[in-house]
């Protein structure tokens, strides 16, 4: 599967008056697509898409009607923080009653089914104005990744996408289904962990996505993320960042290579990026680490 983009959506973002402020296009995300924009009032019908559509309202309240003209028509004034969920492979008739700032997130059904991890397919509900604080924060975090993009954030973005899929599968499924009881999470085996560590060490200077790490362990993305954390106590993106920080610290203390070169060699975009991370992680700066030896 290639990068997700507007062609994988149901067409709302193609309305002529919508001008996205920022999107994840060009970042290589193949399991999720995000777009931030201002929408004007409209009424339209859209064909089915292969992706689930999740809309987070950033302002409000605003009146939204879905199923317009059908026996199941619903209308609701949705406040800021409200969610609109349109399952994949379903037609949509909708009316937006006012101007609105939104974040759209699209993800393929395969990501939801993988996150659910069940034998029976999971169907998502069509929701209008639901509230889910965790899902809201995950979508806002994805937007921050796009707004402040650094190549080294690829694994973090993949992790956020997997968490969005898991939350949808668990809390936003159609019908009264009860999520399965939690079971102890199996950890990566020694062999799997060694293969992942080898890949991390080899690709420390490059963007490294969750799918590539999962493939090294021979697991799906969602199973890999859970088993990696069970093994290390950290999500993959945070573990990878720790490796980069440790390597940068070693090179700073023991060598004379320019700080900017060390930053790039350890997977940071530039010297300022390395400085920002070291200050947040260790409470120090590259220059101070080098000076203190």
């Amino acid at each position: 599967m290639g990068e997700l983009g507007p062609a994988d959506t149901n067409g709302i973002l193609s309305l002529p008056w919508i001008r996205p402020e920022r999107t994840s296009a060009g970042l290589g995300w193949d399991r999720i697509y995000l777009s931030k924009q201002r929408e004007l009032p409209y009424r339209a019908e859209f064909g089915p898409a292969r992706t689930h559509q999740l809309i987070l309202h950033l302002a409000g309240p605003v009146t939204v009607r879905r199923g317009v003209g059908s026996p199941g028509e619903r209308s609701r004034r949705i406040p800021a923080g409200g969610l609109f969920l349109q399952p994949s492979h379903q037609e949509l008739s909708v009316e937006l009653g006012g101007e609105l700032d939104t974040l759209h997130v699209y993800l393929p059904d395969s990501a939801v089914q993988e996150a659910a991890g069940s034998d029976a397919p999971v169907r998502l509900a069509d929701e209008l104005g639901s509230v889910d604080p965790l899902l809201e924060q995950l979508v806002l975090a994805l937007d921050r990744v796009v707004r402040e993009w650094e190549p080294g954030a690829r694994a973090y973005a993949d992790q956020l996408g997997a968490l969005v899929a898991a939350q949808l599968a668990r809390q936003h499924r159609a019908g009264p289904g009860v999520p399965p009881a939690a079971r102890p999470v199996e950890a990566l085996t020694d062999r799997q962990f060694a293969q992942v560590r080898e890949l991390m060490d080899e690709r420390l200077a490059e963007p490294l996505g969750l799918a590539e790490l999962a493939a090294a362990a021979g697991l799906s993305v969602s199973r890999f993320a859970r088993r990696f954390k069970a093994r290390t106590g950290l999500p993959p993106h945070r573990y990878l960042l720790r490796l980069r920080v440790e390597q940068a610290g070693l090179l700073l203390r023991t060598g004379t290579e320019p700080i900017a070169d060390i930053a790039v060699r350890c997977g940071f975009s530039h010297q300022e990026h390395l400085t920002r991370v070291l200050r947040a992680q260790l409470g120090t700066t590259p220059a101070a680490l080098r000076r203190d030896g």
Side-chain angles (χ1 to χ4, degrees):
M1 182 188 299
E3 181 184 70
L4 287 186
D8 301 296
T9 72
N10 58 10
I12 288 181
L13 297 178
S14 299
L15 293 173
W17 54 85
I18 290 183
R19 297 288 187 272
E21 180 181 329
R22 55 182 169 271
T23 77
S24 59
L27 302 183
W29 295 6
D30 57 359
R31 298 174 63 84
I32 200 161
Y33 176 72
L34 179 138
S35 179
K36 159 71 169 65
Q37 58 280 310
R38 185 166 185 80
E39 302 184 42
L40 300 179
Y42 70 88
R43 177 177 175 177
E45 296 182 355
F46 303 95
R50 73 183 189 90
T51 52
H52 301 292
Q53 176 191 42
L54 177 66
I55 302 176
L56 172 63
H57 287 219
L58 299 175
V62 65
T63 299
V64 179
R65 290 198 297 159
R66 71 180 303 162
V68 179
S70 73
E73 179 178 321
R74 288 179 288 160
S75 177
R76 186 168 180 183
R77 279 185 67 76
I78 302 178
L83 299 170
F84 181 103
L85 178 59
Q86 172 68 12
S88 66
H89 304 100
Q90 293 186 23
E91 295 182 346
L92 172 64
S93 176
V94 64
E95 180 179 281
L96 176 63
E99 295 187 13
L100 181 64
D101 292 318
T102 58
L103 282 170
H104 284 215
V105 170
Y106 299 84
L107 67 166
D109 184 61
S110 57
V112 173
Q113 302 306 327
E114 182 181 296
S118 60
D119 295 330
V122 169
R123 292 189 306 111
L124 296 187
D126 57 328
E127 298 183 358
L128 180 64
S130 55
V131 176
D132 184 329
L134 175 57
L135 204 50
E136 178 184 357
Q137 290 306 310
L138 290 172
V139 172
L140 290 173
L142 275 168
D143 183 48
R144 282 194 297 274
V145 173
V146 173
R147 192 170 64 244
E148 303 167 3
W149 176 248
E150 304 280 1
R154 175 63 190 273
Y156 179 47
D158 287 346
Q159 180 75 19
L160 288 173
L163 290 172
V164 168
Q167 184 68 359
L168 287 173
R170 183 172 178 81
Q171 297 294 344
H172 297 269
R173 58 179 64 190
V178 178
R183 293 176 294 179
V185 178
E186 189 177 337
L188 292 180
T189 65
D190 290 344
R191 183 170 178 272
Q192 288 172 321
F193 182 65
Q195 290 171 323
V196 173
R197 265 303 304 261
E198 182 179 358
L199 179 61
M200 286 181 168
D201 291 337
E202 289 177 354
R203 302 272 302 277
L204 201 63
E206 305 171 29
L208 192 54
L210 206 58
E212 295 171 276
L213 295 170
L219 296 170
S220 67
V221 170
S222 60
R223 284 193 174 91
F224 168 74
R226 291 193 297 267
R227 294 185 184 187
F228 187 93
K229 187 172 182 179
R231 171 75 188 232
T232 67
L234 291 173
H237 71 276
R238 287 185 59 191
Y239 187 91
L240 182 58
L241 181 61
R242 189 176 74 178
L243 291 182
R244 287 171 168 156
V245 167
E246 290 174 351
Q247 180 65 10
L250 176 64
L251 294 175
L252 287 166
R253 288 191 301 269
T254 61
T256 59
E257 191 176 357
I259 293 175
D261 292 349
I262 290 176
V264 173
R265 182 173 165 184
C266 295
F268 299 97
S269 302
H270 40 66
Q271 182 172 334
E272 291 75 15
H273 183 202
L274 172 61
T275 300
R276 200 162 60 241
V277 171
L278 287 185
R279 187 174 283 119
Q281 297 281 326
L282 305 178
T284 188
T285 64
L289 269 180
R290 168 157 285 172
R291 184 178 60 249
D292 297 341

